[in-house]
Amino acid sequence: MQNVTLNVQGMSCGHCVKAVEGSVGELEGVNGVAVKLDEALVDVSFNESQITLDKIKETIEEQGYDVV
């Protein structure tokens, strides 16, 4: 199990939180995701044998946000 915190720019409201948590949370291998809107951070817990960090970043970017 791996835990990472990503800096995600462009999130500004509850809809943004739902979009990121919903899309990342649905990925196979992701065990948990939590957005800290005020800090522009996304905590993700995932099984690295099932999904890559790059795929998680790609999924966030597909929602219209920038992972820096």
Short mmCIF file of all heavy atoms in Angstrom, two decimals:
data_model
loop_
_atom_site.label_atom_id
_atom_site.label_comp_id
_atom_site.label_asym_id
_atom_site.label_seq_id
_atom_site.Cartn_x
_atom_site.Cartn_y
_atom_site.Cartn_z
N MET A 1 0.84 -1.18 0.00
CA MET A 1 0.00 0.00 0.00
C MET A 1 0.89 1.24 0.00
O MET A 1 1.86 1.32 0.74
CB MET A 1 -0.88 -0.01 1.24
CG MET A 1 -1.97 1.01 1.23
SD MET A 1 -3.21 0.72 -0.02
CE MET A 1 -3.81 -0.87 0.46
N GLN A 2 0.55 2.17 -0.84
CA GLN A 2 1.31 3.41 -0.93
C GLN A 2 0.38 4.58 -0.65
O GLN A 2 -0.77 4.58 -1.08
CB GLN A 2 1.95 3.55 -2.31
CG GLN A 2 2.87 4.74 -2.42
CD GLN A 2 3.66 4.72 -3.74
OE1 GLN A 2 3.71 3.73 -4.45
NE2 GLN A 2 4.28 5.83 -4.04
N ASN A 3 0.89 5.58 0.06
CA ASN A 3 0.14 6.81 0.34
C ASN A 3 0.92 7.98 -0.24
O ASN A 3 2.12 8.10 0.00
CB ASN A 3 -0.03 7.01 1.85
CG ASN A 3 -0.85 5.91 2.48
OD1 ASN A 3 -1.97 5.65 2.05
ND2 ASN A 3 -0.31 5.26 3.48
N VAL A 4 0.24 8.83 -1.01
CA VAL A 4 0.87 10.01 -1.58
C VAL A 4 -0.02 11.22 -1.37
O VAL A 4 -1.24 11.09 -1.24
CB VAL A 4 1.17 9.85 -3.09
CG1 VAL A 4 2.16 8.75 -3.36
CG2 VAL A 4 -0.10 9.64 -3.88
N THR A 5 0.61 12.38 -1.34
CA THR A 5 -0.11 13.64 -1.30
C THR A 5 0.28 14.42 -2.54
O THR A 5 1.47 14.69 -2.77
CB THR A 5 0.23 14.44 -0.03
OG1 THR A 5 -0.15 13.65 1.11
CG2 THR A 5 -0.52 15.76 0.01
N LEU A 6 -0.71 14.77 -3.34
CA LEU A 6 -0.48 15.48 -4.59
C LEU A 6 -0.92 16.93 -4.46
O LEU A 6 -1.95 17.22 -3.85
CB LEU A 6 -1.27 14.82 -5.73
CG LEU A 6 -1.00 13.34 -5.97
CD1 LEU A 6 -2.00 12.78 -6.97
CD2 LEU A 6 0.41 13.14 -6.47
N ASN A 7 -0.15 17.83 -5.06
CA ASN A 7 -0.51 19.24 -5.13
C ASN A 7 -1.34 19.41 -6.40
O ASN A 7 -0.83 19.20 -7.50
CB ASN A 7 0.75 20.09 -5.17
CG ASN A 7 0.45 21.58 -5.13
OD1 ASN A 7 -0.61 22.02 -5.54
ND2 ASN A 7 1.41 22.34 -4.64
N VAL A 8 -2.61 19.76 -6.24
CA VAL A 8 -3.53 19.87 -7.38
C VAL A 8 -4.07 21.29 -7.46
O VAL A 8 -4.72 21.77 -6.54
CB VAL A 8 -4.68 18.85 -7.26
CG1 VAL A 8 -5.62 18.98 -8.44
CG2 VAL A 8 -4.14 17.43 -7.17
N GLN A 9 -3.78 21.96 -8.56
CA GLN A 9 -4.21 23.34 -8.76
C GLN A 9 -5.50 23.39 -9.56
O GLN A 9 -5.73 22.56 -10.44
CB GLN A 9 -3.11 24.13 -9.48
CG GLN A 9 -1.80 24.19 -8.72
CD GLN A 9 -1.95 24.86 -7.38
OE1 GLN A 9 -2.46 25.98 -7.28
NE2 GLN A 9 -1.51 24.19 -6.33
N GLY A 10 -6.34 24.37 -9.28
CA GLY A 10 -7.56 24.61 -10.03
C GLY A 10 -8.82 24.21 -9.30
O GLY A 10 -9.92 24.50 -9.77
N MET A 11 -8.70 23.56 -8.17
CA MET A 11 -9.88 23.18 -7.39
C MET A 11 -10.33 24.38 -6.57
O MET A 11 -9.52 25.02 -5.91
CB MET A 11 -9.56 22.01 -6.45
CG MET A 11 -9.10 20.76 -7.13
SD MET A 11 -8.78 19.40 -5.97
CE MET A 11 -7.52 20.07 -4.90
N SER A 12 -11.65 24.67 -6.61
CA SER A 12 -12.11 25.87 -5.91
C SER A 12 -13.41 25.70 -5.14
O SER A 12 -13.83 26.63 -4.45
CB SER A 12 -12.26 27.02 -6.91
OG SER A 12 -13.23 26.67 -7.88
N CYS A 13 -14.07 24.54 -5.27
CA CYS A 13 -15.40 24.43 -4.65
C CYS A 13 -15.73 22.97 -4.36
O CYS A 13 -14.96 22.06 -4.68
CB CYS A 13 -16.47 25.03 -5.57
SG CYS A 13 -16.63 24.16 -7.14
N GLY A 14 -16.90 22.77 -3.79
CA GLY A 14 -17.35 21.43 -3.47
C GLY A 14 -17.50 20.53 -4.69
O GLY A 14 -17.25 19.33 -4.62
N HIS A 15 -17.90 21.12 -5.81
CA HIS A 15 -18.01 20.33 -7.04
C HIS A 15 -16.64 19.79 -7.45
O HIS A 15 -16.53 18.65 -7.90
CB HIS A 15 -18.60 21.18 -8.17
CG HIS A 15 -18.58 20.48 -9.50
ND1 HIS A 15 -19.40 19.42 -9.79
CD2 HIS A 15 -17.81 20.67 -10.58
CE1 HIS A 15 -19.15 19.00 -11.01
NE2 HIS A 15 -18.18 19.75 -11.52
N CYS A 16 -15.61 20.60 -7.29
CA CYS A 16 -14.25 20.17 -7.62
C CYS A 16 -13.84 18.98 -6.74
O CYS A 16 -13.26 18.01 -7.23
CB CYS A 16 -13.26 21.31 -7.41
SG CYS A 16 -13.57 22.77 -8.40
N VAL A 17 -14.17 19.07 -5.46
CA VAL A 17 -13.86 18.00 -4.53
C VAL A 17 -14.55 16.71 -4.97
O VAL A 17 -13.92 15.64 -5.05
CB VAL A 17 -14.27 18.37 -3.09
CG1 VAL A 17 -14.12 17.18 -2.16
CG2 VAL A 17 -13.47 19.57 -2.59
N LYS A 18 -15.82 16.80 -5.29
CA LYS A 18 -16.57 15.61 -5.71
C LYS A 18 -16.03 15.04 -7.01
O LYS A 18 -15.98 13.83 -7.18
CB LYS A 18 -18.06 15.95 -5.86
CG LYS A 18 -18.76 16.16 -4.55
CD LYS A 18 -20.23 16.47 -4.75
CE LYS A 18 -20.90 16.73 -3.42
NZ LYS A 18 -22.32 17.06 -3.56
N ALA A 19 -15.64 15.90 -7.94
CA ALA A 19 -15.12 15.44 -9.23
C ALA A 19 -13.83 14.65 -9.03
O ALA A 19 -13.65 13.58 -9.61
CB ALA A 19 -14.87 16.63 -10.16
N VAL A 20 -12.92 15.18 -8.21
CA VAL A 20 -11.65 14.51 -7.99
C VAL A 20 -11.83 13.24 -7.15
O VAL A 20 -11.36 12.16 -7.53
CB VAL A 20 -10.62 15.46 -7.33
CG1 VAL A 20 -9.36 14.70 -6.92
CG2 VAL A 20 -10.27 16.59 -8.28
N GLU A 21 -12.52 13.36 -6.03
CA GLU A 21 -12.71 12.19 -5.17
C GLU A 21 -13.50 11.10 -5.89
O GLU A 21 -13.18 9.91 -5.76
CB GLU A 21 -13.42 12.58 -3.87
CG GLU A 21 -12.54 13.38 -2.94
CD GLU A 21 -13.19 13.73 -1.62
OE1 GLU A 21 -14.43 13.60 -1.48
OE2 GLU A 21 -12.45 14.16 -0.71
N GLY A 22 -14.49 11.49 -6.67
CA GLY A 22 -15.30 10.51 -7.38
C GLY A 22 -14.53 9.78 -8.46
O GLY A 22 -14.56 8.55 -8.54
N SER A 23 -13.81 10.53 -9.28
CA SER A 23 -13.09 9.90 -10.40
C SER A 23 -11.92 9.05 -9.92
O SER A 23 -11.72 7.94 -10.40
CB SER A 23 -12.61 10.96 -11.39
OG SER A 23 -11.71 11.86 -10.79
N VAL A 24 -11.16 9.55 -8.97
CA VAL A 24 -10.01 8.78 -8.46
C VAL A 24 -10.49 7.61 -7.61
O VAL A 24 -9.95 6.51 -7.69
CB VAL A 24 -9.05 9.69 -7.66
CG1 VAL A 24 -7.93 8.88 -7.03
CG2 VAL A 24 -8.46 10.77 -8.57
N GLY A 25 -11.53 7.83 -6.82
CA GLY A 25 -12.06 6.78 -5.96
C GLY A 25 -12.60 5.58 -6.71
O GLY A 25 -12.64 4.48 -6.17
N GLU A 26 -13.00 5.78 -7.96
CA GLU A 26 -13.54 4.68 -8.76
C GLU A 26 -12.46 3.82 -9.40
O GLU A 26 -12.75 2.75 -9.93
CB GLU A 26 -14.44 5.24 -9.88
CG GLU A 26 -15.73 5.83 -9.36
CD GLU A 26 -16.57 6.44 -10.47
OE1 GLU A 26 -16.12 6.45 -11.63
OE2 GLU A 26 -17.68 6.90 -10.17
N LEU A 27 -11.22 4.28 -9.38
CA LEU A 27 -10.14 3.51 -10.02
C LEU A 27 -9.84 2.24 -9.24
O LEU A 27 -9.76 2.25 -8.01
CB LEU A 27 -8.86 4.37 -10.10
CG LEU A 27 -8.95 5.62 -10.97
CD1 LEU A 27 -7.70 6.47 -10.78
CD2 LEU A 27 -9.12 5.25 -12.44
N GLU A 28 -9.65 1.16 -9.97
CA GLU A 28 -9.30 -0.11 -9.33
C GLU A 28 -7.90 0.01 -8.72
O GLU A 28 -6.97 0.46 -9.38
CB GLU A 28 -9.32 -1.25 -10.35
CG GLU A 28 -9.09 -2.60 -9.72
CD GLU A 28 -9.27 -3.74 -10.70
OE1 GLU A 28 -9.93 -3.53 -11.74
OE2 GLU A 28 -8.74 -4.81 -10.42
N GLY A 29 -7.79 -0.35 -7.47
CA GLY A 29 -6.51 -0.27 -6.77
C GLY A 29 -6.42 0.92 -5.83
O GLY A 29 -5.52 0.99 -5.01
N VAL A 30 -7.34 1.88 -5.97
CA VAL A 30 -7.36 3.04 -5.07
C VAL A 30 -8.21 2.68 -3.86
O VAL A 30 -9.37 2.29 -3.99
CB VAL A 30 -7.92 4.30 -5.77
CG1 VAL A 30 -8.11 5.43 -4.76
CG2 VAL A 30 -6.98 4.74 -6.88
N ASN A 31 -7.62 2.79 -2.68
CA ASN A 31 -8.31 2.44 -1.44
C ASN A 31 -8.91 3.64 -0.73
O ASN A 31 -9.83 3.48 0.07
CB ASN A 31 -7.36 1.70 -0.50
CG ASN A 31 -6.90 0.39 -1.10
OD1 ASN A 31 -7.68 -0.35 -1.67
ND2 ASN A 31 -5.61 0.12 -1.00
N GLY A 32 -8.38 4.82 -0.99
CA GLY A 32 -8.89 6.02 -0.35
C GLY A 32 -8.40 7.27 -1.03
O GLY A 32 -7.29 7.30 -1.56
N VAL A 33 -9.25 8.29 -1.04
CA VAL A 33 -8.86 9.59 -1.60
C VAL A 33 -9.56 10.67 -0.80
O VAL A 33 -10.74 10.56 -0.47
CB VAL A 33 -9.20 9.69 -3.11
CG1 VAL A 33 -10.66 9.43 -3.37
CG2 VAL A 33 -8.80 11.03 -3.67
N ALA A 34 -8.81 11.71 -0.44
CA ALA A 34 -9.36 12.82 0.33
C ALA A 34 -8.77 14.13 -0.18
O ALA A 34 -7.55 14.28 -0.27
CB ALA A 34 -9.06 12.65 1.81
N VAL A 35 -9.64 15.06 -0.52
CA VAL A 35 -9.22 16.38 -1.01
C VAL A 35 -9.19 17.35 0.15
O VAL A 35 -10.14 17.43 0.93
CB VAL A 35 -10.18 16.89 -2.11
CG1 VAL A 35 -9.84 18.32 -2.49
CG2 VAL A 35 -10.15 15.98 -3.32
N LYS A 36 -8.10 18.08 0.25
CA LYS A 36 -7.98 19.19 1.21
C LYS A 36 -8.04 20.47 0.37
O LYS A 36 -7.02 20.97 -0.10
CB LYS A 36 -6.66 19.10 1.98
CG LYS A 36 -6.55 17.85 2.83
CD LYS A 36 -5.20 17.78 3.51
CE LYS A 36 -5.06 16.49 4.29
NZ LYS A 36 -3.70 16.31 4.80
N LEU A 37 -9.25 20.95 0.16
CA LEU A 37 -9.49 22.06 -0.76
C LEU A 37 -8.70 23.31 -0.40
O LEU A 37 -8.09 23.93 -1.27
CB LEU A 37 -10.99 22.36 -0.81
CG LEU A 37 -11.46 23.36 -1.86
CD1 LEU A 37 -11.12 22.88 -3.26
CD2 LEU A 37 -12.96 23.59 -1.72
N ASP A 38 -8.69 23.68 0.87
CA ASP A 38 -8.00 24.91 1.30
C ASP A 38 -6.50 24.86 1.06
O ASP A 38 -5.86 25.90 0.90
CB ASP A 38 -8.26 25.18 2.78
CG ASP A 38 -9.72 25.50 3.06
OD1 ASP A 38 -10.44 25.87 2.11
OD2 ASP A 38 -10.14 25.38 4.22
N GLU A 39 -5.94 23.66 1.03
CA GLU A 39 -4.50 23.50 0.86
C GLU A 39 -4.12 23.07 -0.55
O GLU A 39 -2.94 22.94 -0.86
CB GLU A 39 -3.97 22.47 1.86
CG GLU A 39 -4.23 22.85 3.31
CD GLU A 39 -3.87 21.72 4.27
OE1 GLU A 39 -2.76 21.19 4.15
OE2 GLU A 39 -4.72 21.39 5.11
N ALA A 40 -5.11 22.83 -1.41
CA ALA A 40 -4.90 22.35 -2.78
C ALA A 40 -4.14 21.02 -2.79
O ALA A 40 -3.27 20.79 -3.63
CB ALA A 40 -4.17 23.40 -3.63
N LEU A 41 -4.50 20.14 -1.86
CA LEU A 41 -3.84 18.84 -1.75
C LEU A 41 -4.85 17.71 -1.90
O LEU A 41 -6.00 17.84 -1.51
CB LEU A 41 -3.13 18.71 -0.40
CG LEU A 41 -2.03 19.71 -0.10
CD1 LEU A 41 -1.51 19.51 1.32
CD2 LEU A 41 -0.89 19.59 -1.11
N VAL A 42 -4.37 16.60 -2.45
CA VAL A 42 -5.17 15.39 -2.57
C VAL A 42 -4.36 14.24 -2.01
O VAL A 42 -3.25 13.95 -2.49
CB VAL A 42 -5.56 15.10 -4.04
CG1 VAL A 42 -6.34 13.80 -4.13
CG2 VAL A 42 -6.36 16.26 -4.63
N ASP A 43 -4.87 13.61 -0.95
CA ASP A 43 -4.24 12.43 -0.36
C ASP A 43 -4.84 11.20 -1.03
O ASP A 43 -6.06 11.06 -1.10
CB ASP A 43 -4.50 12.37 1.14
CG ASP A 43 -3.85 13.50 1.90
OD1 ASP A 43 -2.77 13.96 1.48
OD2 ASP A 43 -4.41 13.93 2.93
N VAL A 44 -3.96 10.31 -1.50
CA VAL A 44 -4.42 9.09 -2.16
C VAL A 44 -3.71 7.89 -1.56
O VAL A 44 -2.49 7.90 -1.39
CB VAL A 44 -4.15 9.12 -3.68
CG1 VAL A 44 -4.72 7.87 -4.36
CG2 VAL A 44 -4.72 10.37 -4.32
N SER A 45 -4.48 6.87 -1.23
CA SER A 45 -3.95 5.60 -0.76
C SER A 45 -4.27 4.57 -1.83
O SER A 45 -5.43 4.43 -2.23
CB SER A 45 -4.62 5.22 0.57
OG SER A 45 -4.24 3.92 0.96
N PHE A 46 -3.23 3.86 -2.32
CA PHE A 46 -3.47 2.93 -3.42
C PHE A 46 -2.51 1.75 -3.38
O PHE A 46 -1.47 1.80 -2.73
CB PHE A 46 -3.37 3.65 -4.77
CG PHE A 46 -2.00 4.20 -5.10
CD1 PHE A 46 -1.15 3.50 -5.95
CD2 PHE A 46 -1.57 5.40 -4.58
CE1 PHE A 46 0.10 4.00 -6.27
CE2 PHE A 46 -0.32 5.91 -4.88
CZ PHE A 46 0.53 5.20 -5.73
N ASN A 47 -2.89 0.71 -4.08
CA ASN A 47 -2.08 -0.50 -4.19
C ASN A 47 -1.26 -0.38 -5.47
O ASN A 47 -1.80 -0.46 -6.58
CB ASN A 47 -2.99 -1.73 -4.25
CG ASN A 47 -2.22 -3.03 -4.26
OD1 ASN A 47 -1.07 -3.08 -4.69
ND2 ASN A 47 -2.85 -4.08 -3.78
N GLU A 48 0.05 -0.20 -5.32
CA GLU A 48 0.91 0.05 -6.47
C GLU A 48 1.03 -1.15 -7.41
O GLU A 48 1.49 -1.01 -8.55
CB GLU A 48 2.30 0.54 -6.04
CG GLU A 48 3.05 -0.40 -5.15
CD GLU A 48 2.77 -0.22 -3.66
OE1 GLU A 48 1.79 0.43 -3.26
OE2 GLU A 48 3.55 -0.77 -2.87
N SER A 49 0.58 -2.32 -6.99
CA SER A 49 0.59 -3.48 -7.89
C SER A 49 -0.65 -3.50 -8.79
O SER A 49 -0.72 -4.26 -9.75
CB SER A 49 0.69 -4.78 -7.10
OG SER A 49 -0.49 -5.00 -6.35
N GLN A 50 -1.64 -2.63 -8.49
CA GLN A 50 -2.87 -2.58 -9.28
C GLN A 50 -2.98 -1.31 -10.14
O GLN A 50 -3.66 -1.32 -11.16
CB GLN A 50 -4.09 -2.66 -8.38
CG GLN A 50 -4.28 -4.01 -7.72
CD GLN A 50 -5.53 -4.02 -6.88
OE1 GLN A 50 -5.57 -3.44 -5.81
NE2 GLN A 50 -6.55 -4.68 -7.38
N ILE A 51 -2.35 -0.23 -9.70
CA ILE A 51 -2.48 1.04 -10.42
C ILE A 51 -1.22 1.87 -10.21
O ILE A 51 -0.58 1.78 -9.16
CB ILE A 51 -3.74 1.82 -9.96
CG1 ILE A 51 -4.00 3.01 -10.89
CG2 ILE A 51 -3.64 2.23 -8.50
CD1 ILE A 51 -5.38 3.63 -10.72
N THR A 52 -0.87 2.67 -11.22
CA THR A 52 0.32 3.51 -11.12
C THR A 52 -0.05 4.92 -10.67
O THR A 52 -1.19 5.37 -10.86
CB THR A 52 1.04 3.62 -12.48
OG1 THR A 52 0.17 4.29 -13.41
CG2 THR A 52 1.42 2.25 -13.01
N LEU A 53 0.92 5.60 -10.10
CA LEU A 53 0.72 6.99 -9.71
C LEU A 53 0.43 7.84 -10.94
O LEU A 53 -0.38 8.76 -10.89
CB LEU A 53 1.95 7.51 -8.96
CG LEU A 53 1.89 8.94 -8.47
CD1 LEU A 53 0.69 9.16 -7.56
CD2 LEU A 53 3.18 9.31 -7.74
N ASP A 54 1.07 7.52 -12.06
CA ASP A 54 0.83 8.27 -13.29
C ASP A 54 -0.63 8.19 -13.73
O ASP A 54 -1.21 9.17 -14.20
CB ASP A 54 1.74 7.78 -14.42
CG ASP A 54 3.18 8.24 -14.25
OD1 ASP A 54 3.42 9.22 -13.50
OD2 ASP A 54 4.07 7.63 -14.87
N LYS A 55 -1.24 7.02 -13.58
CA LYS A 55 -2.66 6.85 -13.95
C LYS A 55 -3.55 7.69 -13.04
O LYS A 55 -4.52 8.29 -13.50
CB LYS A 55 -3.05 5.37 -13.88
CG LYS A 55 -4.50 5.11 -14.18
CD LYS A 55 -4.90 5.53 -15.60
CE LYS A 55 -6.37 5.24 -15.86
NZ LYS A 55 -6.83 5.85 -17.12
N ILE A 56 -3.21 7.77 -11.77
CA ILE A 56 -3.98 8.60 -10.84
C ILE A 56 -3.86 10.08 -11.23
O ILE A 56 -4.86 10.79 -11.29
CB ILE A 56 -3.51 8.36 -9.39
CG1 ILE A 56 -3.85 6.92 -8.97
CG2 ILE A 56 -4.12 9.39 -8.44
CD1 ILE A 56 -3.20 6.47 -7.68
N LYS A 57 -2.64 10.52 -11.52
CA LYS A 57 -2.44 11.91 -11.95
C LYS A 57 -3.20 12.20 -13.23
O LYS A 57 -3.82 13.26 -13.38
CB LYS A 57 -0.94 12.18 -12.15
CG LYS A 57 -0.14 12.21 -10.87
CD LYS A 57 1.33 12.46 -11.18
CE LYS A 57 2.18 12.48 -9.94
NZ LYS A 57 3.61 12.72 -10.26
N GLU A 58 -3.15 11.27 -14.18
CA GLU A 58 -3.85 11.43 -15.45
C GLU A 58 -5.35 11.57 -15.23
O GLU A 58 -6.01 12.40 -15.87
CB GLU A 58 -3.55 10.20 -16.32
CG GLU A 58 -4.23 10.20 -17.67
CD GLU A 58 -3.94 8.91 -18.43
OE1 GLU A 58 -2.75 8.55 -18.57
OE2 GLU A 58 -4.90 8.25 -18.85
N THR A 59 -5.89 10.79 -14.32
CA THR A 59 -7.32 10.85 -14.03
C THR A 59 -7.71 12.21 -13.46
O THR A 59 -8.75 12.77 -13.82
CB THR A 59 -7.71 9.71 -13.05
OG1 THR A 59 -7.40 8.46 -13.67
CG2 THR A 59 -9.18 9.75 -12.70
N ILE A 60 -6.89 12.75 -12.58
CA ILE A 60 -7.15 14.09 -12.02
C ILE A 60 -7.09 15.14 -13.12
O ILE A 60 -7.94 16.02 -13.21
CB ILE A 60 -6.15 14.41 -10.88
CG1 ILE A 60 -6.41 13.47 -9.69
CG2 ILE A 60 -6.26 15.87 -10.47
CD1 ILE A 60 -5.35 13.54 -8.61
N GLU A 61 -6.09 15.03 -13.98
CA GLU A 61 -5.93 16.01 -15.06
C GLU A 61 -7.08 15.93 -16.06
O GLU A 61 -7.49 16.94 -16.63
CB GLU A 61 -4.57 15.83 -15.73
CG GLU A 61 -3.45 16.26 -14.81
CD GLU A 61 -2.05 15.96 -15.32
OE1 GLU A 61 -1.92 15.17 -16.29
OE2 GLU A 61 -1.09 16.50 -14.74
N GLU A 62 -7.64 14.73 -16.25
CA GLU A 62 -8.79 14.57 -17.14
C GLU A 62 -10.03 15.31 -16.61
O GLU A 62 -10.93 15.66 -17.38
CB GLU A 62 -9.12 13.08 -17.34
CG GLU A 62 -8.14 12.37 -18.24
CD GLU A 62 -8.36 10.86 -18.29
OE1 GLU A 62 -9.21 10.33 -17.54
OE2 GLU A 62 -7.66 10.21 -19.08
N GLN A 63 -10.06 15.56 -15.30
CA GLN A 63 -11.15 16.31 -14.70
C GLN A 63 -10.96 17.83 -14.86
O GLN A 63 -11.82 18.61 -14.47
CB GLN A 63 -11.29 15.95 -13.21
CG GLN A 63 -11.68 14.52 -12.95
CD GLN A 63 -13.02 14.17 -13.58
OE1 GLN A 63 -13.99 14.90 -13.42
NE2 GLN A 63 -13.07 13.06 -14.30
N GLY A 64 -9.81 18.23 -15.40
CA GLY A 64 -9.56 19.65 -15.67
C GLY A 64 -8.66 20.34 -14.67
O GLY A 64 -8.58 21.57 -14.65
N TYR A 65 -7.96 19.57 -13.84
CA TYR A 65 -7.08 20.17 -12.82
C TYR A 65 -5.63 19.84 -13.12
O TYR A 65 -5.33 18.90 -13.85
CB TYR A 65 -7.48 19.64 -11.43
CG TYR A 65 -8.95 19.82 -11.19
CD1 TYR A 65 -9.83 18.74 -11.23
CD2 TYR A 65 -9.49 21.08 -10.96
CE1 TYR A 65 -11.19 18.90 -11.04
CE2 TYR A 65 -10.85 21.26 -10.78
CZ TYR A 65 -11.70 20.16 -10.82
OH TYR A 65 -13.05 20.36 -10.66
N ASP A 66 -4.73 20.64 -12.58
CA ASP A 66 -3.30 20.47 -12.83
C ASP A 66 -2.62 19.86 -11.61
O ASP A 66 -2.71 20.40 -10.52
CB ASP A 66 -2.64 21.82 -13.15
CG ASP A 66 -3.16 22.43 -14.43
OD1 ASP A 66 -3.35 21.68 -15.40
OD2 ASP A 66 -3.38 23.65 -14.46
N VAL A 67 -1.93 18.74 -11.84
CA VAL A 67 -1.13 18.13 -10.79
C VAL A 67 0.29 18.67 -10.95
O VAL A 67 0.90 18.53 -12.00
CB VAL A 67 -1.12 16.58 -10.92
CG1 VAL A 67 -0.28 15.97 -9.82
CG2 VAL A 67 -2.54 16.05 -10.87
N VAL A 68 0.77 19.35 -9.91
CA VAL A 68 2.12 19.97 -9.98
C VAL A 68 3.08 19.30 -9.04
O VAL A 68 2.69 18.56 -8.17
CB VAL A 68 2.06 21.48 -9.70
CG1 VAL A 68 1.30 22.18 -10.81
CG2 VAL A 68 1.43 21.78 -8.37
#
